[in-house]
Amino acid sequence: MNDTDIEPGVAAPPERQAAQETPRPRGLGPIGWLRWSWRQLTTMRTALILLFLVALGAVPGSFLPQRPQAPERVDRYFADHPSLAPWLDRFSLFDVFAAPWFAAIYILLFVSLAGCVIPRAFKHYRAMRARPPAAPRNLTRLPQSASYETDAGPDEVLSEAHELLRKRRFRVDEKDGSVAAEKGYLGETGNLVFHLALLALLFALGLGSSFGYRGNVLLTEGNTFANSLSRYDQFMPGREFDSDDLPPFTMTLDDFKATYETQGAKRGQATDYLAKVRYRETPGSAEKTYDLKVNHPLKLGGAKVYLLNHGYSPVFTVRDAKGDVAFRDAVPFLQMENRNQTSEGVIKVPDAQPDQLAFYAILWPSAVATEDQKQIVSAFPAPLNPMITIASFKGDLGLDSGTPQSVYKLEGIGKTLQPLGKKGQKIMKPGETFTLPDGAGTVTFEGLREWAALSVNRDPGRMPALVAAVLAIVGVVASFMVRRRRVWVRASAGTDGRTVVEVGGLTLGNATSEFDDIVAALRGEEETSGPDKAAAPATEESEE
């Protein structure tokens, strides 16, 4: 039975009737939740939070060794921290910029900026093409306003105002006895350009990190480098890098020269580096020469070759116990201190018989004795008086164990590699030969060459990133320097037959003197603005 079946007079009075159940509101639903999530993601607040998270996520990469750059340091960290390192590795903290969580933050930031800025750009474009808004009913309530009377007719006043504002680069519209003018959209345009440039900068950085690469190589005078993966000392490819993208160039270092200060407080400081190189862009191309300097890279096949550093490579000849030449080459030494180029290096001789030989040496380019005559130091970075001290070892170098070793470090000292004692140490000058104890062989210090550290860098996002950075700066300057301004002029006949002119102005931010200049020009007076004149306050005047 429903309410229509109840006979009249039988139903309970209204105050005793049960209230009808109000229908429950429907939930957002899947589409509603998606819209809400999109609105939250595309807010500027969310973009700032994501930008902070990107910066925060990059912090572990600054103090933890990263596997793409230094895998040996990562292995050492695992050995030093066996309980902590596996947990860090689970969160990809040894390869931060390839971690899924970092990629998620980066992509969300990109989407957030795009969803925030691109719709604003379309709205701004439509606003720039729209007609200026009509004049408010009461112009005197605007932050800047003025009124005066004139003998000219209303049409003449409006025509003059139209022409004047057009000359001042306003967009002008005349309607219903008033003139509306607007300009200053360049400020908002600059703001949008800045954010769009940030978006382009993120895209360019992602492009460079995905398809680019960077490799370092140490090249000694007289040696040739062929651009292949096996010849790099360190190689950091992008995520989408293909080894077939390496340009097939070759480069030979003919000579390296470093110029130093010889006097004063800056004595020993380098003033110029010059690497004379010969190169071929392809195996069949003609050989060319180039003077490679710091900040003057050589462009080869879409990559740039930079000069980073330099050092010394002493030349050694090692003969084993049988008198056979087991080693003859230049060995790069690494600096122990940069000011005077004191360097250290190791020589590994796996072909020596019957025992493998190894040497640890320290080089002083300009050797002098200390005041107490107990030590030798280098007094100048140039090779004015090169000397080395060498310590010898014999045994098993461990090169056949399959474990990778650094060419700048001796492994297994005291275990598989035994020192030859004090008689196995000697200070040598170029041309001297040291006979090892127990007939283990000889080592000759032949001379000194120099090496140059080169960086081969290909970054397809570099130029887009540069353009985006310039546009971002231009956009910021425009957004701060340009403000939107609106001016309205209304002319109507007065009671005494004269024309009453009302002028109103609205400026985003602080008022400027431009409004007073416009009013003065309409009245036929001289402009009030100038380099030494401040903005005049808003006034309401009547011409007597």
Side-chain angles (χ1 to χ4, degrees), residues 382-406:
L384 304 180
N385 182 33
M387 295 178 63
I388 65 167
T389 178
I390 192 168
S392 353
F393 303 84
K394 71 175 182 179
D396 184 6
L397 292 171
L399 299 178
D400 299 330
S401 63
T403 303
Q405 291 188 12
S406 171

Side-chain angles (χ1 to χ4, degrees), residues 235-279:
F235 192 80
M236 292 154 283
R239 304 301 170 189
E240 304 299 327
F241 168 77
D242 188 349
S243 59
D244 294 336
D245 295 335
L246 286 175
F249 68 83
T250 58
M251 177 182 296
T252 302
L253 178 61
D254 288 332
D255 186 34
F256 185 92
K257 292 182 179 178
T259 306
Y260 304 96
E261 290 284 353
T262 58
Q263 296 178 350
K266 296 183 178 180
R267 183 178 184 273
Q269 180 175 327
T271 58
D272 188 34
Y273 291 152
L274 172 61
K276 293 184 174 294
V277 299
R278 289 179 289 117
Y279 66 93

Side-chain angles (χ1 to χ4, degrees), residues 316-319 324-331 347-350:
F316 297 95
T317 298
V318 180
R319 296 179 181 273
D324 298 328
V325 176
F327 179 89
R328 179 178 289 163
D329 201 357
V331 181
I347 308 103
K348 298 181 181 182
V349 191

Side-chain angles (χ1 to χ4, degrees), residues 249-252 277-281 285-290 298-300:
F249 68 83
T250 58
M251 177 182 296
T252 302
V277 299
R278 289 179 289 117
Y279 66 93
R280 296 180 188 268
E281 295 191 32
S285 63
E287 191 173 55
K288 301 178 182 179
T289 61
Y290 188 80
L298 172 62
K299 299 179 181 179
L300 289 172

Side-chain angles (χ1 to χ4, degrees), residues 63-358:
F63 64 86
L64 287 176
Q66 298 298 290
R67 191 170 278 111
Q69 287 78 30
E72 70 284 352
R73 292 183 58 193
V74 175
D75 294 339
R76 191 180 307 120
Y77 194 94
F78 269 83
D80 296 339
H81 306 85
S83 58
L84 177 62
W87 283 98
L88 297 178
D89 197 31
R90 289 182 182 180
F91 294 99
S92 302
L93 294 183
F94 295 115
D95 195 0
V96 168
F97 302 107
W101 54 266
F102 189 87
I105 297 173
Y106 191 89
I107 293 173
L108 285 175
L109 175 61
F110 188 89
V111 173
S112 177
L113 284 176
C116 179
V117 176
I118 294 177
R120 281 181 57 195
F122 285 109
K123 291 180 181 179
H124 179 62
Y125 177 75
R126 290 194 294 267
M128 290 179 62
R129 296 180 61 86
R131 299 172 63 182
R137 181 178 300 177
N138 192 345
L139 294 179
T140 59
R141 293 184 178 181
L142 295 175
Q144 291 179 293
S145 63
S147 64
Y148 63 93
E149 295 183 359
T150 180
D151 293 329
D155 293 340
E156 183 181 352
V157 171
L158 295 179
S159 177
E160 181 183 353
H162 189 286
E163 183 179 357
L164 172 65
L165 293 172
R166 291 277 293 181
K167 288 182 178 179
R168 288 178 169 267
R169 300 182 181 277
F170 279 85
R171 293 189 301 111
V172 184
D173 184 37
E174 187 174 346
K175 184 180 180 181
D176 298 333
S178 65
V179 172
E182 184 176 30
K183 73 174 181 179
Y185 274 96
L186 186 61
E188 178 63 15
T189 302
N191 186 279
L192 287 172
V193 167
F194 169 73
H195 288 91
L196 287 171
L198 286 184
L199 198 62
L201 186 61
L202 286 176
F203 179 78
L205 293 176
L207 180 68
S209 62
S210 297
F211 295 94
Y213 63 86
R214 184 172 69 254
N216 297 331
V217 61
L218 190 148
L219 192 60
T220 300
E221 289 175 328
N223 291 349
T224 299
F225 167 72
N227 191 30
S228 62
L229 291 178
S230 60
R231 298 299 300 273
Y232 281 99
D233 298 322
Q234 187 180 41
F235 192 80
M236 292 154 283
R239 304 301 170 189
E240 304 299 327
F241 168 77
D242 188 349
S243 59
D244 294 336
D245 295 335
L246 286 175
F249 68 83
T250 58
M251 177 182 296
T252 302
L253 178 61
D254 288 332
D255 186 34
F256 185 92
K257 292 182 179 178
T259 306
Y260 304 96
E261 290 284 353
T262 58
Q263 296 178 350
K266 296 183 178 180
R267 183 178 184 273
Q269 180 175 327
T271 58
D272 188 34
Y273 291 152
L274 172 61
K276 293 184 174 294
V277 299
R278 289 179 289 117
Y279 66 93
R280 296 180 188 268
E281 295 191 32
T282 59
S285 63
E287 191 173 55
K288 301 178 182 179
T289 61
Y290 188 80
D291 290 344
L292 189 62
K293 294 185 176 182
V294 177
N295 296 327
H296 291 80
L298 172 62
K299 299 179 181 179
L300 289 172
K304 290 186 177 181
V305 182
Y306 294 88
L307 177 61
L308 298 182
N309 199 359
H310 89 105
Y312 295 102
S313 295
V315 182
F316 297 95
T317 298
V318 180
R319 296 179 181 273
D320 58 18
K322 297 181 180 180
D324 298 328
V325 176
F327 179 89
R328 179 178 289 163
D329 201 357
V331 181
F333 277 34
L334 301 182
Q335 294 96 334
M336 299 172 65
E337 52 90 16
N338 293 325
R339 182 174 182 83
N340 293 312
Q341 294 288 322
T342 302
S343 308
E344 63 177 349
V346 300
I347 308 103
K348 298 181 181 182
V349 191
D351 296 331
Q353 296 294 332
D355 295 313
Q356 295 180 344
L357 298 176

